[in-house]
Amino acid sequence: MNIRANLDNFIHRICSLRSVTLFVTWICMLDIELGVFREEASALGVKDTFVILPFVQTDMYFSKVILLGVLCFFSNAPFMDKSEMYVISRIGRKRWGMRNIQYIFFAGIVLSLALACFSSLTVLPAVKWSNEWGNVYHTLSVTRSTIGAVISGKTIAAFSPFELLAHIIVIDSLIFALIGMLLYVSSLYLPRVWGYLITIVFAFLPTMYWMPFDIQYFSPCSWMYPSQWRYGQDMNYPSLTYIYTALFLLLLLLIRIGQARIHRAAWISREEV
């Protein structure tokens, strides 16, 4: 299949009722979470940079909503409905598997960009398009006031707004793709319900307050939180180099495992009921 056909297929898959439900849920939650930020900016009579997502998604409650939405979005994995039988016979198993993998990565990028856009639009009356941290962020970081999550002074000292947002978009994209790939691959090897359970445990483990800090080294979903990245010589948290390397290796491993299963698996229709 050519690039245009693949792109049309990806867009057709993404433009679904799942996407609409997911986006509406995220917008509603962001509006609730960021109401405090808008009020704080209004009280100070100033505007601040639009880069708000890195801080608000460190809120454990909202991060659960984010991850649950991603799980629901990929809930039709491993994409084995009856119509796919014709596609497999036409393009072959290997290319069909790669098309699914490419879709998961493409969807991860779209979801991450959508989340970043929604977060900025939600606070639009209180922001300016600046690459500098303004008075609101510095005040919140010093007073330890919250906007649904604590503004980390170490984070705003280490990154400019655009730089931090770029890291968040890339890491979110990779984590969303990792969730999709884990659900896809586990559902190829196991009954779908077990694939869901494995992915749910994987996604929600770092959101449990009782988990020890060491879990940050082993739980990729905890890498969504800039407050838990390494700053300076603090070895309790993973560095960005560690995070990116681990995510790419995990995704590569899942791609190999998934393609191996597709190559030798008998076709079984797994159409949703």
Side-chain angles (χ1 to χ4, degrees):
M1 296 181 71
N2 57 37
I3 295 176
R4 177 61 183 273
N6 277 332
L7 184 59
D8 289 342
N9 175 69
F10 296 162
I11 294 174
H12 175 73
R13 286 188 180 188
I14 288 177
C15 296
S16 65
L17 185 59
R18 288 186 182 87
S19 303
V20 174
T21 304
L22 171 61
F23 293 157
V24 170
T25 301
W26 280 357
I27 291 171
C28 291
M29 286 302 304
L30 282 165
D31 183 62
I32 295 172
E33 289 288 313
L34 296 176
V36 177
F37 176 83
R38 294 194 300 267
E39 293 174 1
E40 186 76 17
S42 176
L44 293 174
V46 296
K47 294 185 177 182
D48 214 320
T49 181
F50 68 97
V51 179
I52 192 71
L53 177 63
F55 303 108
V56 72
Q57 76 178 25
T58 60
D59 176 65
M60 290 296 181
Y61 180 66
F62 183 56
S63 66
K64 290 176 183 178
V65 174
I66 294 175
L67 297 174
L68 182 60
V70 175
L71 280 167
C72 292
F73 180 86
F74 289 116
S75 61
N76 60 335
F79 319 116
M80 286 186 173
D81 57 36
K82 293 179 180 178
S83 63
E84 292 298 299
M85 297 180 67
Y86 168 73
V87 178
I88 289 179
S89 64
R90 186 161 64 92
I91 67 176
R93 294 187 179 194
K94 182 177 180 180
R95 292 181 64 185
W96 180 80
M98 283 306 302
R99 189 182 72 159
N100 288 333
I101 292 169
Q102 290 167 1
Y103 161 70
I104 291 172
F105 276 81
F106 180 77
I109 295 172
V110 170
L111 294 178
S112 178
L113 289 173
L115 185 59
C117 290
F118 295 156
S119 63
S120 298
L121 292 174
T122 305
V123 293
L124 193 59
V127 301
K128 57 183 178 180
W129 306 104
S130 171
N131 192 31
E132 296 181 358
W133 303 110
N135 293 334
V136 178
Y137 283 93
H138 285 292
T139 300
L140 291 173
S141 67
V142 172
T143 62
R144 308 299 291 174
S145 300
T146 65
I147 56 168
V150 175
I151 300 292
S152 170
K154 292 182 179 180
T155 301
I156 65 176
F159 300 100
S160 68
F162 290 176
E163 184 182 10
L164 180 60
L165 183 62
H167 281 300
I168 285 295
I169 290 175
V170 175
I171 290 174
D172 282 358
S173 298
L174 294 174
I175 290 174
F176 295 165
L178 186 61
I179 290 174
M181 282 299 302
L182 182 60
L183 186 57
Y184 171 69
V185 172
S186 59
S187 296
L188 288 174
Y189 283 86
L190 301 169
R192 182 176 290 187
V193 64
W194 286 107
Y196 287 153
L197 290 175
I198 291 171
T199 309
I200 287 171
V201 171
F202 170 84
F204 287 97
L205 196 63
T207 66
M208 305 302 176
Y209 286 103
W210 48 266
M211 293 303 299
F213 281 161
D214 288 347
I215 195 66
Q216 313 307 337
Y217 272 95
F218 308 106
S219 176
C221 290
S222 67
W223 301 337
M224 296 170 58
Y225 315 141
S227 59
Q228 295 175 355
W229 296 346
R230 182 185 302 172
Y231 299 100
Q233 301 301 316
D234 185 0
M235 302 300 292
N236 291 320
Y237 300 101
S239 65
L240 285 174
T241 301
Y242 175 96
I243 290 171
Y244 283 120
T245 302
L247 285 172
F248 280 114
L249 289 177
L250 287 171
L251 286 166
L252 180 61
L253 177 63
L254 288 174
I255 290 172
R256 297 296 297 272
I257 294 173
Q259 285 296 85
R261 179 60 173 171
I262 289 293
H263 179 72
R264 64 175 185 270
W267 174 261
I268 300 175
S269 177
R270 299 192 182 185
E271 188 173 18
E272 290 182 288
V273 296

